[in-house]
Amino acid sequence: MMNEQDLPTLNSLFAFEATVRNQSMTVAAKELDITQPLVSQRIRALEDTVGGVLINRSKKPLTATEAGSKYYYEIQAALTSILNATTNTKANLRTNNTKISISAYFGFAFHWLMPRLQRLQEAFPDYQFEIQPTNNLAELNSSNADILFHFANRIGKYQFEELLFAEEVFPVCSPSFAEKMELKAGDFLIDLRKLSLLHKDKEDPRWLNWKSWSETLGIQPSKYPVMFCYNNYPLVVEAAINGQGICLGWEGLINPFIEEGKLIELGPRLKSTTRGYQICSNYHSTFAIGSVIKWFISETRES
């Protein structure tokens, strides 16, 4: 009765097959992406298993011995079948992976989703995630994504809606800009007239801007503030990091840059109890999507 020790390893069989086919251990090594000595070692192990010499090493190009040649033709078809079966199985598994689409605004996708993607994939290794970022409310509303992240009060159109985290907005700037303007972390802004203010689309009603933020807090804004507008929030944050001015930071999105020392927090904070990032879905009841939604919610609770 044959036991495991009587059987050759697949690695030794592939090393032997590639060497005979290419008539070279060096070429076989390149094809298999291993070293030439390792190819030789594996063929030696195969010869020990079968109990005889399979490769004639006395001259080049290398050729199989009579026994080796016969063995080569007998195993070649089997090895090809193993390779094809493995390739097909991998393709089928990729095709059958659960696919989950996620739609969100650019700022949220860039600053909150992307840093968590690796952990998300590790938590759900059999799921395939597709991120659909947008800056267009109409696109977000018409999206058929499995999970959506809205920024608003309660939406009222999805089967599942939950406030992920409430809106908290406060000024941030780079340490170099703060030093230049004689500011330090925690300082409350009371006069915006001499400050370079960075923002995304100051007339966009979806987001607080310098005018609405300062008026709500009773801070008199400058009539003609130095204002720089950008197409999306990541560009605003990048400009602030580069010392080009002060931008408004959203709790939950801007925190990593403060923790890394790239930005410092100023004050005051403007908080809302009902408005913020909502996680929404019409497929919350399905096991896969429901599990991912629970994972997202747990991320906010832990942080």
Side-chain angles (χ1 to χ4, degrees):
M1 181 177 179
M2 184 172 290
N3 58 44
E4 186 175 324
Q5 294 178 345
D6 296 323
L7 297 174
T9 66
L10 275 177
N11 284 338
S12 66
L13 291 175
F14 280 117
F16 170 70
E17 188 278 335
T19 297
V20 174
R21 176 165 42 81
N22 293 296
Q23 296 186 300
S24 167
M25 290 187 188
T26 301
V27 175
K30 290 181 179 179
E31 182 179 296
L32 297 172
D33 196 24
I34 57 176
T35 64
Q36 188 273 337
L38 186 54
V39 171
S40 178
Q41 178 183 330
R42 289 177 178 179
I43 293 176
R44 291 285 188 191
L46 178 61
E47 289 175 329
D48 288 343
T49 300
V50 300
V53 178
L54 299 175
I55 298 288
N56 185 350
R57 300 170 176 79
S58 61
K59 59 181 179 179
K60 295 185 179 180
L62 298 182
T63 57
T65 62
E66 182 178 349
S69 181
K70 182 179 180 181
Y71 189 54
Y72 170 80
Y73 288 112
E74 288 180 344
I75 67 170
Q76 190 180 39
L79 291 178
T80 300
S81 295
I82 291 173
L83 281 175
N84 290 340
T86 303
T87 300
N88 292 337
T89 299
K90 285 182 176 181
N92 290 336
L93 288 174
R94 282 195 297 268
T95 301
N96 294 329
N97 274 356
T98 300
K99 297 179 181 179
I100 296 180
S101 54
I102 302 171
S103 187
Y105 289 121
F106 268 107
F108 186 85
F110 189 84
H111 292 302
W112 198 86
L113 275 177
M114 298 302 289
R116 288 168 170 77
L117 275 185
Q118 183 175 346
R119 295 205 306 275
L120 176 64
Q121 195 66 74
E122 289 172 353
F124 303 96
D126 297 328
Y127 293 3
Q128 181 178 335
F129 295 98
E130 177 188 6
I131 309 300
Q132 303 170 354
T134 180
N135 260 342
N136 189 301
L137 178 59
E139 286 184 2
L140 192 61
N141 282 333
S142 62
S143 172
N144 291 320
D146 300 310
I147 300 173
L148 304 95
F149 292 94
H150 277 268
F151 184 83
N153 292 306
R154 186 175 181 276
I155 311 299
K157 62 174 286 188
Y158 299 97
Q159 294 179 14
F160 176 85
E161 298 178 7
E162 183 166 327
L163 182 65
L164 203 59
F165 46 85
E167 181 181 40
E168 291 189 40
V169 185
F170 49 91
V172 293
C173 68
S174 70
S176 61
F177 184 86
E179 183 179 0
K180 182 173 68 174
M181 302 306 297
E182 298 183 346
L183 295 168
K184 62 181 184 296
D187 281 354
F188 276 32
L189 299 183
I190 57 175
D191 189 346
L192 305 180
R193 288 175 296 179
K194 296 181 180 180
L195 299 175
S196 298
L197 306 178
L198 310 171
H199 200 72
K200 174 195 175 295
D201 302 333
K202 61 178 180 178
E203 302 302 331
D204 190 332
R206 291 175 295 170
W207 314 98
L208 282 170
N209 55 37
W210 282 109
K211 184 175 184 296
S212 57
W213 176 83
S214 58
E215 287 182 350
T216 303
L217 290 170
I219 299 171
Q220 183 64 42
S222 171
K223 292 181 180 179
Y224 306 102
V226 180
M227 183 78 69
F228 300 94
C229 294
Y230 297 83
N231 290 329
N232 59 61
Y233 190 61
L235 291 179
V236 177
V237 175
E238 189 64 25
I241 291 173
N242 291 332
Q244 296 176 24
I246 301 179
C247 77
L248 291 174
W250 270 257
E251 174 70 28
L253 302 189
I254 207 72
N255 306 64
F257 300 103
I258 297 174
E259 294 166 3
E260 294 168 9
K262 295 179 179 179
L263 294 171
I264 64 170
E265 177 182 344
L266 304 171
R269 284 190 172 220
L270 180 56
K271 302 180 181 181
S272 171
T273 57
T274 58
R275 177 179 167 88
Y277 281 100
Q278 308 274 351
I279 184 169
C280 309
S281 179
N282 284 325
Y283 312 102
H284 175 260
S285 59
T286 66
F287 175 78
I289 296 172
S291 299
V292 173
I293 289 175
K294 288 179 182 177
W295 187 90
F296 279 135
I297 293 173
S298 70
E299 277 288 294
T300 63
R301 304 299 180 260
E302 291 174 4
S303 60

